[in-house]
Amino acid sequence: MPQPILPPLKPLPIKDRISVVYVERGNLDVIDGAFVVVDVTGVRTQIPIGTVACLMLEPGTRVSHSAVVLAARVGCLLVWIGEAGVRLYAAGQPGGARSDRLLYQAKLALDDTARLKVVRRMYALRFREEPPERRSVEQLRGIEGVRVRKMYDLLARQYKVEWKRRNYDHTEWESGDIPNRCLSSATACIYGICEAAILAAGYAPAVGFIHTGKPQSFVYDIADIFKFETVVPVAFRIAAKKPRDPEREVRLACRDAFRQTKLLDRIVPTIEEVLAAGGIEVPKAHEEAVTMAIPNKEGLGDAGHRG
C-alpha cells in the first residue's frame, strides 16, 4: 500500500495562529487541496485555514461540505454572523472535546465558594487590583459596572469622542451612533477569538461565572478581561476619525491590536489561571468507566482540539 506523501492534518495551538479573518460574499470550498474563497467573477483567494483561529462568515457567504471538513480538521472555528458581526447565528465546534474539563468547569460554576474565587480572579486581572473583601458575586458585578462606565467616559474624553452611553439596537444597525457601532464591531472581533480559544482549551462557551443564560456566557467573561487593553481603545480611536466605513477600520485596527498585545498567546493560559483560582482539582474518571480502546494520537494543538 503506498504511503501518503504529506503527513495528516493536525491543529496548531491557538497561540501560533493569526486571530481572525472575515469573509463576505463568496463561496468557500476546497480546490486542489487548498481552502479558497471563490467570488462571483470566479477569482479564487486562498486562505491558510490551519493558521487562522477564527473565520467569521458574513452575509452572502456559502460553505461547501469539503470546506467545513477541512476547517474542523485543522481546528479553525467557523462563525456565522450578521452584518458587521453584531449578530451571531451559529458556530462550528473544532474543539471542546474534553469531558474532564467540561466537568471541571461545571463543578466550579456550581460551587458557590469556588465560583466566587473565580470571579474575584477575573476582577483582579481585569482591573489589575484585588477586589474588595467580603463582597458577593452580585456586589462585584455592581462595582464592575460602575468602573466600566467610568472607563468609557475617560476614553471618550481622551479621544475627544462625543459619548452618551453604551446603546445600540442590533436589529437596526445603522441606527446606532458611530462610537457604539465601533464598539460593537470591536467586541465582536474579540468574542470570536475568545470562543475559539475556549473550545481549543476544552471548555464550554455557555458555562459562565459572571455572565449566565447565554450560549456565550463564558466567552463574555473571558473577553471582558482583555477588552479595555485591546478593542475598546481601538473603537474610540477609530470613532474619533469618523471614517466612511467604521466597521472595516475597526476590524483592521483590532487585528493589529491583537498582534501587538500577543493576545492569542495569553487567552488559554488566562482561562486556566482563572479556573485554577477556584481551588478545585480536575475530576478523575470513575473507576468503572470504560477506557479508550484506541488511544488518542499525540497532536500539536491545544487540549480541546479534535483529531
Side-chain angles (χ1 to χ4, degrees):
M1 183 176 179
Q3 294 295 319
I5 298 174
L6 298 175
L9 295 172
K10 293 289 184 183
L12 293 173
I14 286 289
K15 65 181 179 64
D16 292 336
R17 302 180 184 221
I18 59 175
S19 54
V20 61
V21 171
Y22 283 80
V23 179
E24 181 182 13
R25 295 186 180 87
N27 295 329
L28 298 178
D29 207 343
V30 177
I31 300 177
D32 298 332
F35 193 98
V36 297
V37 183
V38 184
D39 66 16
V40 291
T41 65
V43 174
R44 303 177 189 176
T45 302
Q46 186 173 337
I47 298 177
I49 193 72
T51 64
V52 178
C54 179
L55 195 61
M56 306 287 258
L57 308 179
E58 293 190 279
T61 307
R62 294 185 178 185
V63 190
S64 72
H65 183 275
S66 299
V68 173
V69 170
L70 182 54
R73 282 183 176 167
V74 298
C76 176
L77 180 65
L78 300 181
V79 182
W80 284 262
I81 57 175
E83 186 180 5
V86 175
R87 184 176 291 180
L88 187 149
Y89 295 112
Q93 193 179 29
R98 286 289 296 266
S99 62
D100 57 341
R101 297 195 175 211
L102 297 175
L103 292 170
Y104 171 54
Q105 183 184 3
K107 194 173 179 181
L108 287 165
L110 290 169
D111 186 306
D112 290 341
T113 302
R115 176 175 170 241
L116 179 57
K117 290 179 179 177
V118 171
V119 171
R120 288 181 64 83
R121 189 61 192 150
M122 289 177 173
Y123 184 105
L125 288 173
R126 183 175 189 182
F127 298 112
R128 299 180 183 179
E129 65 179 38
E130 292 297 324
E133 297 291 342
R134 295 187 293 278
R135 298 291 193 278
S136 67
V137 172
E138 287 300 315
Q139 288 171 324
L140 291 176
R141 287 180 62 184
I143 297 170
E144 175 197 30
V146 172
R147 294 193 66 163
V148 166
R149 287 193 289 275
K150 286 184 178 178
M151 291 168 77
Y152 281 138
D153 291 337
L154 287 172
L155 286 167
R157 286 202 293 271
Q158 178 182 342
Y159 289 101
K160 297 181 173 55
V161 172
E162 184 180 353
W163 175 251
K164 298 175 183 175
R165 62 191 175 93
R166 187 78 174 102
N167 183 34
Y168 68 96
D169 183 354
H170 67 265
T171 63
E172 295 185 35
W173 174 244
E174 296 292 338
S175 66
D177 58 23
I178 294 294
N180 273 292
R181 286 169 58 184
C182 288
L183 276 171
S184 296
S185 293
T187 51
C189 291
I190 199 169
Y191 290 157
I193 61 171
C194 282
E195 181 160 2
I198 288 167
L199 289 166
Y203 298 107
V207 182
F209 295 83
I210 299 174
H211 298 86
T212 186
K214 295 285 188 180
Q216 292 180 295
S217 294
F218 194 43
V219 176
Y220 304 146
D221 285 354
I222 297 301
D224 280 353
I225 296 173
F226 301 107
K227 263 185 187 176
F228 280 91
E229 66 167 302
T230 54
V231 298
V232 175
V234 164
F236 278 99
R237 176 163 55 82
I238 300 299
K241 300 178 182 177
K242 299 179 180 178
R244 179 176 296 179
D245 188 353
E247 290 81 9
R248 183 176 186 276
E249 296 286 333
V250 165
R251 290 172 185 172
L252 294 174
C254 285
R255 180 198 60 189
D256 294 340
F258 295 153
R259 184 175 64 251
Q260 291 163 0
T261 58
K262 298 182 178 179
L263 184 62
L264 292 186
D265 290 9
R266 299 158 55 201
I267 298 179
V268 172
T270 299
I271 292 170
E272 301 295 355
E273 179 182 346
V274 297
L275 295 181
I280 292 177
E281 294 185 357
V282 177
K284 296 179 181 178
H286 297 292
E287 293 182 358
E288 67 273 19
V290 177
T291 57
M292 294 179 289
I294 303 175
N296 292 328
K297 295 180 180 177
E298 186 175 350
L300 297 174
D302 294 295
H305 276 138
R306 299 163 187 245

